[in-house]
């Protein structure tokens, strides 16, 4: 399974944009890039996913590098509720039900 | 629409005992996956079921098993409990196998003493 590398922690102030990076240099052509987050005392929550093109949804945007070896999750305006551990995960298009979580990035948001 | 429901929420067991955890997926979802979360190992994939068949399995000993019923509800069983099995066990459901969005329950916190 291809691995991802994320910073252990990041900080942001409320109302500011946050860019959470993820490196996945061994990604294969059929791997989807997923982002999940886990708020304190809760199960993980789906944020966004993509394959090759940049993606936007109501929660966030996903920017994927042209060579697909890295991606960035963008929270456009951080809120206190966005404080969580963010996981960048790769899964094969043929095996999306098997999510291999890394250590994730713990995001702190300050008022 | 109700989310993924896991029961019980908390459980304390003694070493050597066995335990069964239950997961009710979102109505209409047919794929159920199980994960173990510990402070040391993080979130680890246990297994995945679809249409009552195990489709994927993680790297866990045979003491960990599961099953899925015709109504898509799933159970996981851990036999001969060890102290290291203390963890948060999470269940996730997806609409179909290969769906790109999984919905997680709040988990069952198992403590082995």
């Amino acid at each position: 399974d291809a691995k991802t590398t994320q910073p252990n922690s990041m900080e942001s102030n409320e109302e500011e944009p946050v860019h959470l990076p993820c490196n996945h240099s061994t990604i294969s052509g059929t791997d989807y890039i997923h982002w999940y987050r886990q708020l304190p005392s809760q199960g993980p929550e789906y944020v966004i996913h993509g394959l090759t093109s940049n993606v936007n949804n109501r929660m966030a945007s996903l920017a994927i590098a042209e060579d697909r070896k890295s991606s960035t999750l963008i929270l456009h305006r951080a809120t206190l509720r966005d404080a969580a551990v963010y996981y960048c995960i790769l899964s094969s298009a043929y095996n999306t039900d098997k999510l291999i979580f890394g250590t994730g990035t713990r995001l702190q948001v300050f008022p | 629409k109700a989310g993924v429901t896991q029961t019980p929420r908390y459980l304390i067991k003694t070493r050597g005992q066995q335990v069964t955890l239950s997961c009710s997926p979102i109505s209409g979802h047919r794929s159920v996956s199980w994960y173990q979360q510990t402070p040391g190992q993080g979130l680890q994939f246990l297994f995945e079921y679809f249409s009552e068949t195990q489709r994927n399995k993680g790297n866990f000993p045979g003491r960990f098993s599961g099953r899925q019923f015709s109504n898509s509800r799933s159970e996981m069983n851990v036999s001969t409990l060890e102290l290291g099995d203390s963890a948060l066990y999470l269940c996730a459901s997806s609409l179909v196998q290969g769906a790109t969005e999984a919905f997680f329950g709040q988990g069952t916190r198992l403590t082995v003493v």
Side-chain angles (χ1 to χ4, degrees):
Chain A
D1 298 307
K3 287 191 66 175
T4 61
T5 304
Q6 300 177 252
N8 287 335
S9 63
M10 291 186 66
E11 297 177 353
S12 175
N13 293 317
E14 226 180 344
E15 305 284 308
E16 289 183 354
V18 181
H19 290 232
L20 297 164
C22 180
N23 288 317
H24 28 79
S25 59
T26 59
I27 191 170
S28 75
T30 58
D31 282 342
Y32 280 94
I33 303 161
H34 301 257
W35 283 83
Y36 280 77
R37 71 180 185 181
Q38 188 171 21
L39 279 64
S41 304
Q42 295 192 26
E45 173 187 36
Y46 168 86
V47 178
I48 201 167
H49 78 276
L51 186 61
T52 55
S53 305
N54 294 344
V55 185
N56 299 298
N57 66 21
R58 62 174 180 80
M59 286 182 71
S61 295
L62 175 60
I64 301 172
E66 199 168 327
D67 63 6
R68 301 211 323 129
K69 292 187 177 182
S70 66
S71 61
T72 302
L73 179 71
I74 302 165
L75 306 179
H76 296 285
R77 292 179 66 194
T79 68
L80 296 177
R81 193 193 173 277
D82 292 323
V85 179
Y86 286 78
Y87 296 97
C88 170
I89 303 162
L90 302 182
S91 73
S92 164
Y94 310 108
N95 210 1
T96 55
D97 302 287
K98 181 180 177 182
L99 298 175
I100 306 300
F101 287 82
T103 53
T105 296
R106 182 172 297 278
L107 175 66
Q108 288 183 283
V109 180
F110 298 104
Chain B
K1 199 175 193 181
V4 177
T5 304
Q6 292 189 244
T7 56
R9 288 293 311 280
Y10 302 92
L11 204 49
I12 300 175
K13 289 287 188 178
T14 306
R15 266 183 304 175
Q17 286 186 313
Q18 75 162 18
V19 68
T20 299
L21 311 181
S22 178
C23 172
S24 292
I26 291 173
S27 177
H29 284 198
R30 297 171 59 196
S31 175
V32 174
S33 300
W34 288 89
Y35 295 81
Q36 180 196 66
Q37 185 170 29
T38 60
Q41 299 297 319
L43 268 155
Q44 293 185 282
F45 173 80
L46 278 158
F47 28 64
E48 183 250 338
Y49 286 87
F50 181 77
S51 292
E52 302 176 63
T53 302
Q54 187 180 93
R55 305 287 179 158
N56 275 302
K57 191 176 192 308
N59 190 25
F60 278 82
R63 300 185 297 107
F64 291 81
S65 63
R67 59 177 175 169
Q68 186 181 32
F69 302 95
S70 58
N71 62 359
S72 295
R73 191 177 71 84
S74 177
E75 289 181 346
M76 69 162 281
N77 184 278
V78 187
S79 62
T80 320
L81 283 165
E82 301 176 0
L83 295 179
D85 297 332
S86 296
L88 179 66
Y89 289 89
L90 291 156
C91 166
S93 77
S94 302
L95 191 59
V96 294
Q97 189 181 30
T100 49
E101 182 175 353
F103 296 82
F104 284 79
Q106 289 197 287
T108 294
R109 171 76 60 187
L110 171 66
T111 302
V112 182
V113 297

